[in-house]
Amino acid sequence: MEKQIAVAMGVEKADLVLKGGNVINVYTGEVEVADIAISDGIIAGIGNYCGKTEVNVQGKYLSPGFIDGHLHIESTMLSPSNFAKAVLPWGTTTGICDPHEIANVCGEAGVDYMIKESKIVPFDAMFMAPSCVPATPYENNGATIDADGLDKLLDKCHGVGEFMNAPGVIYRDSDVMNKLKYAKKRGVVVDGHYPLAGEKELNAYIGAGITTDHECVDVKDACDKLRRGMYVLVREGSATRNLRDLFPIINSKTLRRLVFCTDDRQVHDLLTIGHINNNIKIAIEMGLSPVDAVTMATLNAAECYKLNDRGALAPGKIADIVVLDDLYKFNVLQVYKNGKLVAENGKALFDAQVLNCSEVRNTVHCAHIKAEDLALKLNSDIVRVMGIEPHNVTTKSLVKKVSVTNGEYDFKDGLSKICVVERHKNTGNIGIGLLDGYDIKNGAIAVSVAHDSHNIIVCGDNDRDMAIAVNEIKRVGGGMTAVHNGNIFDTLELPIAGLMCDKDIDYIATMTAKLNEYAYKVLSVNKQVEPFMTLSFMSLVVIPELKISDRGLFDYSSFNFVQIEVEK
């Protein structure tokens, strides 16, 4: 403190001074020309300063480091250190990270792995203790974290991750109540996940201590939550892109209760369009003031998550600073983390280091699958069908007449078959359903990323190729693969919990782009959907309306299983 005061007073030189930049003030909405003096990684003062090292940033704009209000590192298929290497060049210096993907496979050991590797790199991954492992009792996953387990995780986590089990809250499930009581006792933030909540249900959910929501799918949904005091996290991911639809909620009265997040973003998007900087750019293009957009990405997120040491360029704050060329072009030139230059001209200035942790490998345990294991037996030709909604993770529950031959669905209706194969405990469970709007032809794709229990999910237009795809995922210990007319095209191996790759960023980006392009061009998957990422959300039973787990079709409105056949 004494040194900080001496530097602030100009008695001692700062370690580093960024000279003459246009400083974005998120407190007042102003842009002021000033120096930023940094000492021991902390901003000591803003004004006129001298430093041991001085960097001329005249004409450039200086922003606080961006904060992603909610994300799952696992969804990028990058390990934590490679994720940091991918996002820091775009200006994201802090992420509120929910590791419930790996926790659903490996439990506490998975969370420990994420925390340990993230500490290797200059990025602040603020991990939230996963609240729903499993997300619901309606699927089989690899581990369980009960209330006592969550309380233990809070010794090393920043808060409680998204509470997807909304029915468990409003119907006062005992374990859910205990989790919320532990969180309240510790005074930590509890993230929410409750799309299209009813009036009384929302009151109950918020009253239980849940303060954020990133699942707003329309303006009414978002406004309902803002009126009741929630922070709304405006999401722009890869498969789920809500920013444009929710843009009308952003105004002078709501601005300070809005935070940007990505939730789930693919590595290809990270390398090409960026991260939180992309959310900011879109908002500016739609007419939002650049300073207001920066405020959503910095100060709002910091205040929402009780990160009092960051979110603004001010004395006493961590020196997480993004150097921009222009307020409207918004190109990131340099990124400083704790006062150290960590990225420049789109490149990270540090190396990733993937830890070889045996507890998060070899996680695929299921029997060899035969084509006949995936047959859909039907006594009726009137069935429930999952209807994809482009650019969203929600589905419609449709009723369609289908073609049946010898008591089996025969693929003559243009629908795709979708199956979830349990892969944690070798139970032999296989959930089978039909999908409208995916449009795959002459093949199948499969992936071991299937939210949130992460069994193997496969989609195709014939049982043979679907079985080949599932067995390929089993062979490599987790991954994503494409099959065409009986032949495996290629496979990206995901050896870390069946969720993440241990290779470098460029390799992962090349492989995912290659597999997605093949899915579109050869397998004719609907171009309005992300082939693998969209598929991975079809098993997310806590999202409306009709989803599928390893135990069968699940209806969100009744929050229970339903038969695929509809009585005539």
Side-chain angles (χ1 to χ4, degrees):
M1 185 179 292
E2 287 81 357
K3 182 180 177 183
Q4 291 289 320
I5 292 172
V7 172
M9 291 298 296
V11 176
E12 290 187 23
K13 283 189 174 184
D15 298 331
L16 171 67
V17 175
L18 302 180
K19 297 285 291 183
N22 298 304
V23 179
I24 299 172
N25 192 318
V26 293
Y27 292 122
T28 64
E30 299 170 288
V31 176
E32 52 184 322
V33 178
D35 303 338
I36 298 181
I38 300 166
S39 176
D40 294 328
I42 304 295
I43 296 173
I46 296 177
N48 184 15
Y49 285 95
C50 296
K52 299 170 186 175
T53 301
E54 297 183 351
V55 177
N56 184 357
V57 289
Q58 287 184 350
K60 308 298 190 296
Y61 289 81
L62 306 182
S63 166
F66 308 142
I67 302 171
D68 189 331
H70 174 75
L71 68 101
H72 306 285
I73 291 176
E74 304 98 308
S75 292
T76 67
M77 300 184 184
L78 300 171
S79 72
S81 61
N82 267 313
F83 174 79
K85 192 173 180 180
V87 300
L88 271 162
W90 298 112
T92 304
T93 53
T94 301
I96 309 301
C97 306
D98 188 338
H100 76 216
E101 317 295 0
I102 195 168
N104 268 286
V105 180
C106 304
E108 184 181 359
V111 179
D112 288 342
Y113 160 73
M114 301 295 282
I115 293 172
K116 187 175 181 181
E117 185 172 312
S118 71
K119 289 180 177 178
I120 296 171
V121 288
F123 176 78
D124 286 334
M126 315 300 288
F127 285 101
M128 308 293 273
S131 64
C132 300
V133 181
T136 71
Y138 305 109
E139 51 196 330
N140 285 288
N141 71 334
T144 298
I145 297 176
D146 61 11
D148 289 338
L150 181 131
D151 191 43
K152 180 182 177 184
L153 282 176
L154 284 174
D155 289 336
K156 47 195 166 187
C157 291
H158 183 72
V160 177
E162 57 180 307
F163 232 102
M164 295 172 290
N165 189 2
V169 176
I170 62 177
Y171 294 117
R172 294 156 296 184
D173 173 85
S174 60
D175 190 59
V176 168
M177 293 296 99
N178 286 332
K179 288 176 179 178
L180 291 168
K181 288 172 184 175
Y182 280 134
K184 184 175 183 178
K185 183 177 180 180
R186 289 176 177 262
V188 297
V189 174
V190 182
D191 274 330
H193 174 119
Y194 199 172
L196 304 173
E199 179 182 63
K200 288 184 171 61
E201 289 82 0
L202 182 59
N203 287 333
Y205 194 68
I206 294 171
I210 299 167
T211 57
T212 77
D213 191 276
H214 61 276
E215 289 293 346
C216 297
V217 296
D218 58 34
V219 168
K220 181 184 182 303
D221 192 18
C223 286
D224 287 345
K225 287 161 182 169
L226 287 170
R227 290 188 185 105
R228 298 296 173 260
M230 270 188 155
Y231 276 94
V232 167
L233 309 187
V234 182
R235 173 175 58 190
E236 188 70 10
S238 290
T240 47
R241 301 176 182 179
N242 306 124
L243 175 51
R244 288 178 173 84
D245 290 337
L246 296 181
F247 187 78
I249 71 173
I250 306 175
N251 58 55
S252 60
K253 291 183 172 61
T254 63
L255 178 73
R256 295 287 278 111
R257 303 294 292 183
L258 301 171
V259 173
F260 284 130
C261 79
T262 60
D263 198 3
D264 300 284
R265 180 160 284 197
Q266 288 188 330
V267 62
H268 176 73
D269 286 342
L270 286 181
L271 292 186
T272 55
I273 63 175
H275 196 234
I276 290 298
N277 66 304
N278 177 241
N279 298 49
I280 296 170
K281 277 187 173 183
I282 292 172
I284 293 171
E285 289 167 4
M286 296 189 72
L288 187 63
S289 153
V291 176
D292 285 347
V294 168
T295 301
M296 287 176 62
T298 57
L299 182 62
N300 290 7
E303 290 181 347
C304 174
Y305 287 98
K306 302 181 181 181
L307 297 171
N308 299 324
D309 61 354
R310 68 197 71 199
L313 300 179
K317 302 293 185 184
I318 292 172
D320 290 356
I321 302 170
V322 183
V323 182
L324 304 160
D325 65 341
D326 181 88
L327 272 183
Y328 289 89
K329 293 179 182 175
F330 221 80
N331 296 313
V332 176
L333 304 178
Q334 293 179 321
V335 181
Y336 291 83
K337 181 77 187 77
N338 297 324
K340 303 291 185 184
L341 183 65
V342 295
E344 188 169 28
N345 298 323
K347 298 293 183 183
L349 303 179
F350 60 91
D351 292 324
Q353 182 183 338
V354 181
L355 298 181
N356 187 9
C357 179
S358 61
E359 289 85 354
V360 298
R361 295 181 182 248
N362 301 314
T363 60
V364 177
H365 309 289
C366 62
H368 183 84
I369 298 297
K370 302 183 290 296
E372 50 265 35
D373 296 329
L374 307 179
L376 176 56
K377 309 285 187 181
L378 293 174
N379 295 314
S380 170
D381 60 357
I382 307 297
V383 298
R384 291 181 176 87
V385 175
M386 300 162 57
I388 285 178
E389 294 191 292
H391 308 306
N392 226 319
V393 298
T394 55
T395 62
K396 291 296 184 185
S397 181
L398 308 175
V399 175
K400 290 182 175 286
K401 184 173 182 177
V402 297
S403 179
V404 179
T405 301
N406 297 325
E408 289 185 11
Y409 177 70
D410 61 13
F411 294 96
K412 292 180 181 178
D413 304 292
L415 300 174
S416 306
K417 182 182 283 187
I418 183 169
C419 300
V420 176
V421 179
E422 194 277 324
R423 60 108 165 174
H424 302 290
K425 303 166 185 172
N426 197 16
T427 62
N429 284 2
I430 301 176
I432 305 174
L434 296 173
L435 189 61
D436 184 45
Y438 196 78
D439 302 341
I440 191 168
K441 294 179 177 63
N442 300 316
I445 69 171
V447 61
S448 54
V449 179
H451 301 280
D452 277 318
S453 289
H454 300 294
N455 291 299
I456 299 172
I457 193 163
V458 59
C459 188
D461 73 338
N462 69 89
D463 293 334
R464 179 195 63 173
D465 285 347
M466 292 174 69
I468 291 171
V470 172
N471 291 326
E472 172 68 357
I473 298 299
K474 170 181 165 61
R475 183 187 71 83
V476 299
M480 50 192 288
T481 191
V483 176
H484 176 60
N485 288 336
N487 297 308
I488 297 169
F489 165 66
D490 214 337
T491 302
L492 171 63
E493 298 183 14
L494 302 174
I496 305 172
L499 303 173
M500 292 170 281
C501 185
D502 54 4
K503 302 288 196 304
D504 65 71
I505 300 169
D506 290 335
Y507 171 80
I508 300 168
T510 299
M511 283 295 294
T512 53
K514 179 180 177 183
L515 285 162
N516 278 316
E517 182 180 18
Y518 190 82
Y520 287 134
K521 290 187 175 181
V522 178
L523 300 180
S524 302
V525 171
N526 183 354
K527 289 185 170 58
Q528 296 299 307
V529 303
E530 291 275 346
F532 289 90
M533 184 168 275
T534 297
L535 187 61
S536 73
F537 282 105
M538 294 301 100
S539 56
L540 187 55
V541 299
V542 293
I543 291 287
E545 292 179 336
L546 188 64
K547 294 294 170 69
I548 186 168
S549 81
D550 66 298
R551 294 173 56 191
L553 279 182
F554 192 86
D555 177 67
Y556 180 83
S557 61
S558 64
F559 220 69
N560 212 336
F561 290 103
V562 290
Q563 295 296 319
I564 191 169
E565 295 165 321
V566 178
E567 292 184 8
K568 295 183 181 180

